[in-house]
Amino acid sequence: MTMLAALGGTLMADEYGYMVFTLNDGTAQRITANGLSLSFAGGSLTAKNGADTLTIPLSSLKTMAFSKDGLAGIEAATTDDGTEEIYDLQGHRVTRAQMRKGVYIIKTKNRTYKVNVR
């Protein structure tokens, strides 16, 4: 985090479409990386890309990573054997490819996660 704070400019991630933030409670939020800038103030991280703004308290932030498909923040939700069940809020089972903006429940053998896809 300190290294990113020192950058204090616009990040370029041409090959990556999203930056994904995983929070301490297991949820993930994403923002498109095109035109992305990060700033730190008052104990929070603010990510802006021109169209969207995402502010996260640093005390809640577990990890952040660039992702090609916007789903890097939920990689930890898979079990060792790679099985998972993903449901939308209407209870319909979906695949990762079908995930769009919205909230999803990911159920694995050992844990259940709530994921916010932005």
Side-chain angles (χ1 to χ4, degrees), residues 8-12 19 21 31-40 45-50 52-54 66:
T10 301
L11 298 174
M12 304 278 290
M19 175 156 271
F21 303 91
I31 189 167
T32 56
N34 187 20
L36 181 65
S37 68
L38 300 176
S39 61
F40 300 83
L45 162 77
T46 301
K48 294 181 182 181
N49 65 5
D52 297 313
T53 301
L54 180 62
F66 286 105

Side-chain angles (χ1 to χ4, degrees), residues 1-8 40:
M1 294 293 187
T2 304
M3 185 178 204
L4 282 176
L7 293 175
F40 300 83

Side-chain angles (χ1 to χ4, degrees), residues 69 71 73-87 93-97 99 104-113 115:
D69 62 8
L71 302 176
I74 62 173
E75 293 301 318
T78 59
T79 59
D80 291 338
D81 62 1
T83 60
E84 66 185 2
E85 297 174 6
I86 304 172
Y87 298 92
R93 190 167 178 180
V94 298
T95 65
R96 282 180 183 248
M99 293 174 72
Y104 296 87
I105 305 298
I106 301 177
K107 184 179 177 189
T108 67
K109 181 178 179 181
N110 299 319
R111 193 161 175 204
T112 301
Y113 299 84
V115 176

